[in-house]
Amino acid sequence: MKVKLAKTAGFCFGVKRAVDRVYEEVEKGGSPIYTFGPIIHNEEVVEDLERKGVSVIHTEEELKQLNKGTVIIRSHGVSKHIYQVIEKQGLKMIDVTCPFVLKIHRIVERESALGKHIVIIGNDKHPEVEGIKGWSSGKTTVIESFQEAESFQVPKGEELCVVSQTTFNNNKFQDLVEILSKKGYDILVVNTICNATEERQAEARQIAREVDAMVVIGGRHSSNTQKLYEICKKECNDTYYIQTLNDLDVQKLLSVGCVGITAGASTPKKIIEEVQKEWQK
Ligand code: SF4
């Protein structure tokens, strides 16, 4: 029996860097540790960190209640204002905002200071987009749908700077930009989509084509894992969506010639390895 494990399975670079940094801080011990929002959308990891003394804070109000400890900013990043609150409260800060997100903050800060109207292609409610908005010092609009792009209007002479949420669908981004471009505005477009998601999906599709059965590991509510499952299922009818090894009927799969494994962006390596080991016993 052969096993093909996707190289891109599990944490992307930005999430791995953030989670590793929290565990490093836990190892050091000392002052209370807080993360601004859950460090990752994975209950197991967040609960494990909680047991190790890491608390999650969700709002600016909660942040203002703190007067000692370390606040870790996760890979999604935060607005400029949150940095100021952390500083004002005299808290230690560890910033593990993904460098790809930091790049967007810098673009938005610079271009809005030059007077451009910032357009963010993305989901207005996503924490990454909330953070990006908080770096604009001028007009800012978030566009997610074709309808929003069609109805978008600014006064004549206003310049636009368009950026994207890092995980936005690349094709849809291009289509929305095309709609905006046709309006005849002076427009600077910076495609800030990170290719980690696309690479993971392309590899999963390729592996699913080559194997007899495919296992996709990830949280039930993880939208990127659901997407991976759909992609694999299209290529390989014998595809299984599991959260942990406990959900897998290993006996059933032991008779299969070749199994492929991939995992969503918030699936810890430990869970992936446990599944992989089943075929190496
Ligand atoms: S920008 Fe890309 S690498 Fe960074 S956290 Fe997001 S998906 Fe991961």
Side-chain angles (χ1 to χ4, degrees):
M1 140 116 11
K2 220 175 137 192
V3 178
K4 282 191 181 183
L5 173 65
K7 290 190 194 77
T8 51
F11 294 174
C12 61
F13 146 79
V15 168
K16 182 177 184 308
R17 177 173 168 269
V19 173
D20 286 352
R21 190 69 181 84
V22 182
Y23 278 102
E24 265 172 40
E25 211 47 36
V26 168
E27 285 292 306
K28 284 187 203 160
S31 69
I33 303 169
Y34 305 92
T35 61
F36 195 75
I39 195 75
I40 180 176
H41 294 296
N42 180 283
E43 285 166 28
E44 267 209 0
V45 175
V46 174
E47 281 167 16
D48 182 51
L49 284 169
E50 257 166 20
R51 283 191 294 275
K52 293 182 162 76
V54 179
S55 312
V56 181
I57 48 170
H58 298 274
T59 62
E60 186 185 332
E61 283 62 44
E62 284 178 83
L63 195 56
K64 283 179 174 164
Q65 307 291 316
L66 307 178
N67 46 31
K68 68 170 188 161
T70 301
V71 178
I72 301 179
I73 296 175
R74 58 184 172 170
S75 56
H76 290 322
V78 292
S79 67
K80 192 174 185 174
H81 176 68
I82 295 295
Y83 285 93
Q84 289 162 347
V85 176
I86 294 172
E87 199 185 333
K88 195 166 169 221
Q89 294 300 112
L91 302 162
K92 185 181 162 198
M93 181 187 68
I94 294 174
D95 184 4
V96 283
T97 306
C98 179
F100 297 129
V101 179
L102 280 179
K103 182 181 145 198
I104 308 175
H105 292 176
R106 297 291 85 84
I107 294 169
V108 167
E109 189 179 30
R110 185 185 67 231
E111 298 300 325
S112 64
L114 291 172
K116 293 203 175 97
H117 183 135
I118 303 296
V119 176
I120 305 164
I121 305 283
N123 175 350
D124 200 11
K125 293 197 175 68
H126 193 282
E128 181 191 313
V129 174
E130 283 176 12
I132 296 170
K133 279 193 285 186
W135 286 90
S136 170
S137 53
K139 287 188 192 168
T140 312
T141 305
V142 180
I143 290 179
E144 189 178 15
S145 67
F146 294 112
Q147 201 192 352
E148 285 164 345
E150 296 285 4
S151 58
F152 178 77
Q153 269 186 346
V154 293
K156 214 167 178 274
E158 198 162 287
E159 292 176 32
L160 304 180
C161 170
V162 181
V163 293
S164 174
Q165 184 181 339
T166 54
T167 47
F168 204 77
N169 177 289
N170 200 23
N171 291 343
K172 192 171 176 187
F173 174 79
Q174 302 295 350
D175 291 344
L176 292 172
V177 165
E178 200 182 317
I179 296 173
L180 297 176
S181 303
K182 281 185 181 153
K183 292 175 187 275
Y185 300 129
D186 187 341
I187 178 168
L188 167 72
V189 179
V190 193
N191 184 338
T192 48
I193 294 173
C194 158
N195 55 12
T197 310
E198 229 169 287
E199 281 174 6
R200 186 196 314 273
Q201 291 177 356
E203 192 189 18
R205 186 178 292 113
Q206 187 56 40
I207 293 178
R209 275 180 195 151
E210 297 165 357
V211 296
D212 303 305
M214 188 77 195
V215 179
V216 181
I217 316 165
R220 218 192 334 262
H221 304 295
S222 156
S223 61
N224 78 83
T225 311
Q226 284 165 11
K227 182 83 185 141
L228 276 181
Y229 172 75
E230 284 163 24
I231 289 170
C232 293
K233 183 78 181 166
K234 248 190 200 170
E235 304 296 334
C236 172
N237 199 33
D238 220 2
T239 295
Y240 301 87
Y241 187 158
I242 63 166
Q243 293 204 86
T244 65
L245 181 59
N246 294 337
D247 304 329
L248 190 65
D249 184 352
V250 180
Q251 287 308 319
K252 196 174 156 189
L253 286 182
L254 283 177
S255 57
V256 167
C258 185
V259 170
I261 301 172
T262 188
S266 34
T267 308
K269 200 173 169 195
K270 193 179 88 179
I271 298 180
I272 302 171
E273 283 173 352
E274 273 170 11
V275 175
Q276 188 189 11
K277 274 184 196 147
E278 279 305 303
W279 282 278
Q280 292 169 340
K281 280 179 179 170

